[in-house]
Amino acid sequence: MILFTKIVEKRSGDHRRDRLSQFTVPWNVGVERRNYRFPSKAIGAAIFLSVIAAVGNWITNQWLGGNPIGTLLLVVGPVLTAVGALVAAACVAGWRVLEPLLLRSAGMILLSAVVGTCVLVWLHSLLFGWVTGSLVPHADNPAISTWFGFPLTIGEITAELTWMPGWLALLIWPLQFPIVRDFVGLGALMGMFNIIPIYTIWWERKVAGRIQSRLGPMRVGKWHGWAQSFADGIKLLLKEDLIPEQADGPLFRLAPYLNVIPTALAFVALPFGASYVFRELDVGLLFILGVLGIEVVGVILAGWASNNKWSVYGAMREACQMVSYEIPMGMALVIPVVAVGSLNLVQIGEAQSGGWFNWLAFRNPFMFAAFLCYFIASLASCKRAPFDLPEAESELVAGFHTEYSGIRWSFFFFAEYVAMFVVSGLAAIMFLGAWHSPFPSAWGYSWGDGIVAQGLRGLLFSGPIWFVLKCVFFLYVQLWLRWTLPRIRIDQVLYGCVQVLLPLTMILLLGNTMWVWASESWVGGWATFTSVISVVLGSIGIVFVLGFVAIAAYGFYHRRRMVGNLVQDVAPGW
């Protein structure tokens, strides 16, 4: 086993290439050979499961009288498992052929996965609406209760849709229960809750590496080390969960959950689109701000229960910071609420469907300044640089989570990155058009109301993809600031809140209220004046966007201009 990295120097013409050899470990020997044994084993397992499904089908028909639960467990379950085994075998067998192509088109695959996920959620929404709105009301025996008290039977589904095979009717039958639809929606939210921190942690490492003229993770997963976060998660699961001897055990164990659960609850009311929301609440904004405010309780408990003075210092800083910046952040969010007249996030998002110049940030100067104040306050609320005083490594070792290890330690970072996405989502919904594109949504209505037209409108004009792109942009800005700006002192943090942001948001709230009053009172010349102001502010926003695009294009064009040996290709996927 090689325990050091060997640098092999090669010359090709006038160019010198420095390449790093990979570590050689004994358990890597024969991996390729073992992988080729997997397809045959998977095929054998699929045949075995198919036999089980056939026997289960006979048992269900002969002994259970076609009980749908028995059919799901004894027939549908083995069949789906067999199909999964065959798909996995096909993926393993075709990996060697597809690997070069996948590595070259990894970026397009990622973008396609995002688009495909949004389309899949949309298709689920159409399916749920069809089952509850069309299929259930047309049941032949609505007064007769079948399994679990609902009128829809598998036979009625098959009779209604003659083209549908019987096993597909078994999958549609449970969708008549609201609790099943809720579980499917919660599963999608939990998937989003888990993938956001995993992706953002990897992305922050890459952004930090590029800013510091290094590569960041490059090995695990080959393409830019995309699987590094998964490897770290496995490592954290296997690490020992240490609790200090003098710590308060129950509170020490409880703190990470109080930190991560509120951020997960925020997804319940956070809309990704007009119909992409788990629960549309009339007070959705208050609900999200309320649950995010509970996060500070977990931080304080973590610092206090650790029995570590550095942890207590970090917890107290977080308490001061949260109490201070929650006020200007909330007041900045009240400004678009006053303009729209609703706390419903879906209604606020739909009020900005008229295109770029109709976004709330460009309605008036007070709204534009409120957006900037909100973004600064959200950085402090999420403990992001330059406001990361609760976990300042240069002063407090690691702050409130100094004594944590293993999976409990990772919960704090999960909560932080998910909170970053939530505040980015609020910024997009409250100020920057929510899930609407810069183009007016009315442009797509001439395409009709067919499924294809609806899908194209969702992709191009108004859909969750635009919302996710805006959130990803704000995530990138937060990562950019983290590795660009220095950390300020805690007294400067509190000064910036109490004596700068708080008075400024009060003035902006008063000015916006007067602006709304003038818009409703003076309809004539004031409407022309507000239109001119919107065009000016929107033009400023376009200049900022073009500036970001130009900087990104310049960085991409000169991405290989790094210091030292990093100028050349040194690792796979670079």
Side-chain angles (χ1 to χ4, degrees):
M1 177 179 179
I2 300 175
L3 298 179
F4 59 91
T5 303
K6 181 181 178 182
I7 300 179
V8 181
E9 298 182 358
K10 295 183 179 180
R11 294 183 179 274
S12 176
D14 296 332
H15 299 283
R16 175 179 176 176
R17 292 183 177 271
D18 298 338
R19 295 190 177 273
L20 302 177
S21 65
Q22 298 186 18
F23 288 106
T24 303
V25 291
W27 51 84
N28 281 343
V29 179
V31 171
E32 294 294 333
R33 183 158 42 88
R34 288 197 299 271
N35 285 342
Y36 281 102
R37 296 175 185 172
F38 178 79
S40 59
K41 294 181 178 180
I43 293 174
I47 295 174
F48 178 71
L49 290 170
S50 300
V51 174
I52 292 178
V55 175
N57 186 40
W58 180 81
I59 293 175
T60 303
N61 293 329
Q62 296 295 327
W63 293 353
L64 301 180
N67 188 318
I69 301 300
T71 305
L72 288 174
L73 294 177
L74 299 179
V75 181
V76 178
V79 169
L80 293 180
T81 307
V83 172
L86 292 177
V87 171
C91 292
V92 171
W95 171 249
R96 174 164 295 205
V97 178
L98 297 177
E99 181 181 11
L101 178 63
L102 293 177
L103 290 178
R104 290 188 180 94
S105 57
M108 292 301 299
I109 292 174
L110 176 62
L111 181 60
S112 301
V114 174
V115 175
T117 302
C118 295
V119 173
L120 181 62
V121 174
W122 173 62
L123 293 177
H124 272 80
S125 176
L126 292 179
L127 178 62
F128 294 166
W130 170 72
V131 171
T132 58
S134 299
L135 199 57
V136 173
H138 289 85
D140 294 334
N141 51 351
I144 302 175
S145 296
T146 60
W147 296 100
F148 299 103
F150 274 78
L152 196 62
T153 64
I154 297 175
E156 290 171 348
I157 297 176
T158 307
E160 183 74 19
L161 302 172
T162 56
W163 54 268
M164 181 180 296
W167 63 269
L168 189 57
L170 290 173
L171 296 179
I172 292 180
W173 177 82
L175 298 181
Q176 62 181 312
F177 306 109
I179 189 172
V180 174
R181 299 195 296 272
D182 287 346
F183 273 118
V184 173
L186 286 176
L189 291 181
M190 289 300 100
M192 194 72 179
F193 173 80
N194 284 278
I195 201 63
I196 286 173
I198 291 174
Y199 169 74
T200 311
I201 290 171
W202 167 79
W203 197 21
E204 179 157 23
R205 289 176 169 179
K206 303 301 292 187
V207 171
R210 295 308 177 94
I211 290 177
Q212 298 172 353
S213 291
R214 55 185 179 85
L215 296 176
M218 293 294 294
R219 297 287 179 181
V220 184
K222 290 192 175 181
W223 186 78
H224 288 273
W226 66 271
Q228 185 64 53
S229 295
F230 295 94
D232 292 339
I234 296 174
K235 179 199 70 172
L236 292 172
L237 284 172
L238 298 177
K239 287 185 69 174
E240 183 180 1
D241 184 19
L242 298 175
I243 299 179
E245 184 177 354
Q246 300 299 323
D248 190 325
L251 293 182
F252 189 88
R253 295 182 179 91
L254 178 64
Y257 304 107
L258 286 179
N259 197 253
V260 73
I261 290 177
T263 56
L265 289 177
F267 277 89
V268 173
L270 183 68
F272 288 69
S275 58
Y276 288 75
V277 56
F278 185 78
R279 284 293 184 270
E280 182 180 347
L281 303 178
D282 291 334
V283 290
L285 179 61
L286 292 181
F287 176 82
I288 292 179
L289 292 179
V291 296
L292 288 181
I294 303 175
E295 183 187 358
V296 67
V297 178
V299 173
I300 295 175
L301 285 183
W304 175 260
S306 297
N307 194 32
N308 183 312
K309 62 180 180 180
W310 307 116
S311 300
V312 175
Y313 287 156
M316 292 301 103
R317 286 182 175 184
E318 168 68 4
C320 295
Q321 198 165 299
M322 177 67 73
V323 171
S324 300
Y325 279 89
E326 281 288 330
I327 300 174
M329 186 174 75
M331 294 187 67
L333 291 176
V334 169
I335 294 176
V337 170
V338 171
V340 178
S342 174
L343 287 169
N344 189 313
L345 294 178
V346 175
Q347 294 180 8
I348 294 175
E350 287 299 299
Q352 307 174 67
S353 60
W356 176 272
F357 295 100
N358 198 43
W359 291 0
L360 290 179
F362 309 131
R363 291 284 183 89
N364 59 63
F366 305 103
M367 204 90 71
F368 191 84
F371 163 66
L372 299 178
C373 292
Y374 166 78
F375 187 73
I376 295 174
S378 67
L379 291 177
S381 176
C382 294
K383 308 179 292 294
R384 294 298 298 181
F387 306 101
D388 56 340
L389 275 301
E391 51 190 50
E393 298 87 353
S394 59
E395 307 168 24
L396 305 180
V397 187
F400 59 91
H401 54 70
T402 298
E403 300 294 343
Y404 281 88
S405 62
I407 192 65
R408 298 184 198 275
W409 176 83
S410 68
F411 284 164
F412 290 104
F413 285 91
F414 261 64
E416 179 178 331
Y417 285 108
V418 173
M420 290 167 57
F421 184 88
V422 172
V423 298
S424 300
L426 286 180
I429 294 172
M430 304 300 292
F431 296 99
L432 295 180
W435 42 88
H436 299 291
S437 71
F439 311 104
S441 302
W443 290 4
Y445 290 140
S446 60
W447 298 346
D449 296 327
I451 295 180
V452 177
Q454 294 180 25
L456 290 177
R457 280 199 298 268
L459 292 175
L460 301 178
F461 294 100
S462 178
I465 295 177
W466 288 100
F467 178 79
V468 172
L469 288 177
K470 294 174 185 179
C471 293
V472 168
F473 171 75
F474 285 118
L475 282 176
Y476 174 71
V477 173
Q478 295 182 55
L479 303 182
W480 185 1
L481 295 177
R482 166 67 177 85
W483 299 101
T484 303
L485 299 179
R487 182 182 298 118
I488 60 179
R489 299 194 311 266
I490 184 63
D491 62 310
Q492 295 172 331
V493 171
L494 299 180
Y495 172 84
C497 171
V498 177
Q499 299 196 33
V500 179
L501 277 184
L502 183 57
L504 180 58
T505 51
M506 290 181 176
I507 295 174
L508 294 177
L509 178 58
L510 178 60
N512 180 76
T513 304
M514 299 299 295
W515 188 285
V516 173
W517 172 79
S519 300
E520 296 177 353
S521 301
W522 305 333
V523 181
W526 187 261
T528 304
F529 176 72
T530 55
S531 300
V532 173
I533 294 298
S534 297
V535 171
V536 172
L537 294 176
S539 301
I540 295 175
I542 292 175
V543 171
F544 273 101
V545 171
L546 294 178
F548 279 116
V549 173
I551 293 173
Y554 179 84
F556 180 78
Y557 182 76
H558 297 285
R559 64 189 182 278
R560 296 181 183 272
R561 292 177 56 180
M562 306 181 74
V563 297
N565 295 330
L566 298 183
V567 177
Q568 301 296 336
D569 294 346
V570 296
W574 163 240

